[in-house]
């Protein structure tokens, strides 16, 4: 017998839903299931408390008040920053977690719950890059060598999903879906006992799916230029993925969907590939051994070689070989 349990909260600027399926021997009793899902969901608030630049009390915001000092931080923040710096290095700076002030000055400055405007009391230093973030792995400290604000928007949600998935697996849940605003982790099987079905949105027509993937035990994260835009205007408005080299929104991709065993990896590499654009983005994904699909503003589809072999891809009949 199969049953399902679903819970939704608002966290990290989005809606987070966990859907647990119980199949036969994998069934967890009702109390255990509720506790497990609550504990998994708690990771989202926990990661947000460490990693949100929109909360002046968060650990990451505190770093910007102590430029030049070696500040001891939690393991969560340390690991998020360490991973972000690795992706920055690998992408040649196309991915750069020091875009916080740039985003803030472009209008990405409102805390999603309260609507409060964040204004960091720092003079922006246009020369600051990820190289100005110094980690000490033994002391677990972070030091910002120039005035800057770390933005972990491209890794934190993935990290929270990974922590939530680990929490559920540790409690013997085998079949579940974690959805944090379109960034997903799908474990085991769905209620029909089949691999989970995940739609890749058409980046220009939200009523339509571009294609559908059949997946199990994998994270699927999407970065799209339609997700968050500066308020007010439409044409010419900026979206939330910046090319740090030009200091304007990246424009050679419309959406990137990445599949990886870790959501943090899928999340960050998707953002990195988005900034790099289809050719170099695809190279990055293949070099890192993850699969993905990059859709350009002209709706061309670029996919890693493994996309076709490993996932039962339904959808557009053209372009599977690209
Ligand atoms: P979401 O899942 O929230 O749509 P994405 O995974 O697409 O987010 O990542 C976009 C977020 O990454 C932005 O909101 C911002 O926080 C951060 N970001 C924007 N540009 C860059 C960049 N060049 N390098 C690293 N992080 C970035
Ligand atoms: Mg991302």
């Amino acid at each position: 017998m199969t049953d399902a349990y679903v819970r939704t909260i608002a966290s990290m600027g989005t809606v987070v839903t966990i859907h647990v399926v119980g199949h036969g021997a994998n069934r967890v009793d009702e109390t255990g299931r509720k506790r497990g899902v609550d504990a998994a969901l708690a990771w989202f608030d926990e990661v947000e408390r460490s990693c949100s630049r929109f909360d002046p009390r968060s650990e990451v915001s505190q770093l910007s008040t102590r430029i030049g000092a070696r500040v001891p931080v939690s393991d969560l923040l340390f690991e998020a920053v360490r991973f972000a710096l690795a992706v920055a290095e690998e992408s040649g700076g196309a991915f750069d977690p020091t875009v916080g002030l740039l985003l803030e000055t472009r209008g990405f400055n409102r805390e999603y719950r309260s609507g409060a405007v964040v204004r960091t009391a720092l003079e922006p230093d246009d020369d600051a890059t990820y190289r100005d973030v110094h980690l000490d792995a033994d002391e677990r400290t972070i030091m910002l060598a120039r005035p800057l604000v770390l933005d972990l928007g491209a890794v934190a949600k993935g990290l929270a999903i990974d922590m939530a998935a680990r929490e559920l697996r540790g409690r013997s849940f085998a079949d579940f879906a974690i959805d944090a605003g379109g960034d997903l982790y799908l474990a085991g099987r769905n209620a029909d006992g089949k691999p989970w079905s995940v739609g890749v949105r058409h980046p220009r027509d939200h009523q339509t799916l571009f294609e559908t993937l059949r997946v199990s035990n994998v994270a699927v994260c999407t970065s799209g230029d339609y997700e968050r835009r500066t308020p007010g205007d439409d044409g010419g408005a900026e979206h939330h993925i910046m090319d740090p080299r030009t200091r304007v929104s990246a424009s050679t991709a419309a959406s990137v969907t990445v599949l990886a065993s870790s959501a943090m990896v899928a999340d960050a590499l998707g953002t990195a590939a988005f900034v790099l654009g289809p050719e170099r983005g695809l190279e990055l994904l293949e070099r890192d051994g993850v699969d993905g699909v990059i859709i350009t503003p002209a709706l061309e589809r670029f996919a890693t070689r493994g996309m076709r072999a490993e996932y039962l891809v339904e959808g557009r009949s053209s372009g599977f070989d690209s």
Side-chain angles (χ1 to χ4, degrees):
M1 182 191 152
T2 299
D3 54 19
Y5 177 72
V6 183
R7 239 178 83 82
T8 296
I9 60 163
S11 188
M12 304 189 83
T14 190
V15 176
V16 183
T17 300
I18 295 185
H19 180 149
V20 174
V21 180
H23 291 299
N26 289 331
R27 289 186 60 175
V28 179
D29 69 73
E30 211 167 309
T31 325
R33 195 161 54 186
K34 182 175 180 321
R35 270 204 209 113
V37 171
D38 283 348
L41 285 169
W43 282 106
F44 286 86
D45 287 338
E46 178 84 19
V47 172
E48 184 174 39
R49 268 194 295 279
S50 296
C51 299
S52 170
R53 73 174 166 87
F54 297 98
D55 176 358
R57 293 157 309 176
S58 73
E59 269 195 291
V60 80
S61 299
Q62 289 298 309
L63 290 178
S64 296
T65 67
R66 299 181 62 192
I67 303 300
R70 292 147 56 102
V71 183
V73 298
S74 66
D75 286 348
L76 270 182
L77 181 60
F78 193 87
E79 293 309 329
V81 174
R82 173 149 68 182
F83 182 69
L85 295 180
V87 178
E89 187 70 48
E90 219 221 314
S91 64
F95 183 98
D96 189 327
T98 66
V99 292
L101 275 177
L102 176 63
L103 283 162
E104 189 180 309
T105 56
R106 296 296 159 79
F108 297 97
N109 59 358
R110 273 178 194 278
E111 208 277 330
Y112 70 100
R113 286 181 210 271
S114 61
V117 172
V118 277
R119 195 166 291 122
T120 308
L122 282 179
E123 206 45 59
D125 177 345
D126 288 352
D127 295 329
T129 72
Y130 70 95
R131 293 179 197 278
D132 299 306
V133 182
H134 300 267
L135 301 189
D136 184 325
D138 296 324
E139 303 289 331
R140 308 296 275 186
T141 59
I142 299 179
M143 191 268 272
L144 306 181
R146 284 174 187 261
L148 63 87
V149 172
L150 283 174
D151 178 305
L152 298 170
V155 290
K157 223 195 293 168
L159 173 60
I161 293 172
D162 285 340
M163 298 309 288
R166 191 158 91 175
E167 184 75 48
L168 292 172
R169 284 198 195 287
R171 293 165 181 257
S172 304
F173 293 81
D175 304 295
F176 56 84
I178 303 172
D179 178 350
D183 286 349
L184 313 160
Y185 185 86
L186 295 315
R189 308 257 144 183
N190 68 14
D192 299 328
K194 301 219 172 81
W196 295 89
S197 169
V198 176
V200 175
R201 267 217 248 168
H202 190 296
R204 295 292 175 261
D205 174 6
H206 293 173
Q207 308 307 316
T208 317
L209 292 180
F210 202 81
E211 61 197 42
T212 304
L213 315 175
R214 283 284 182 175
V215 296
S216 188
N217 300 323
V218 77
V220 184
C221 293
T222 298
S223 292
D225 63 6
Y226 47 82
E227 282 292 338
R228 288 168 214 267
R229 305 190 76 100
T230 39
D233 45 322
D234 232 324
E238 289 197 287
H239 65 81
H240 66 146
I241 304 174
M242 290 286 156
D243 187 334
R245 302 159 303 183
T246 57
R247 306 183 71 75
V248 295
S249 300
S251 58
T252 50
S255 82
V256 180
T257 298
V258 176
L259 291 78
S261 54
S262 150
M264 182 165 74
V265 170
D267 193 4
L269 292 183
T271 306
F274 191 104
V275 180
L276 287 170
E279 281 93 10
R280 294 193 50 217
L282 212 54
E283 273 169 36
L284 176 95
L285 300 182
E286 294 203 324
R287 195 163 61 236
D288 281 347
V290 301
D291 279 310
V293 181
I294 303 177
I295 304 170
T296 68
L299 303 179
E300 294 162 290
R301 177 182 183 276
F302 290 75
T304 55
R305 282 185 278 276
M307 275 314 281
R308 190 183 182 200
E310 283 195 42
Y311 309 99
L312 295 168
V313 183
E314 302 158 5
R316 308 194 12 146
S317 52
S318 60
F320 283 1
D321 296 315
S322 58

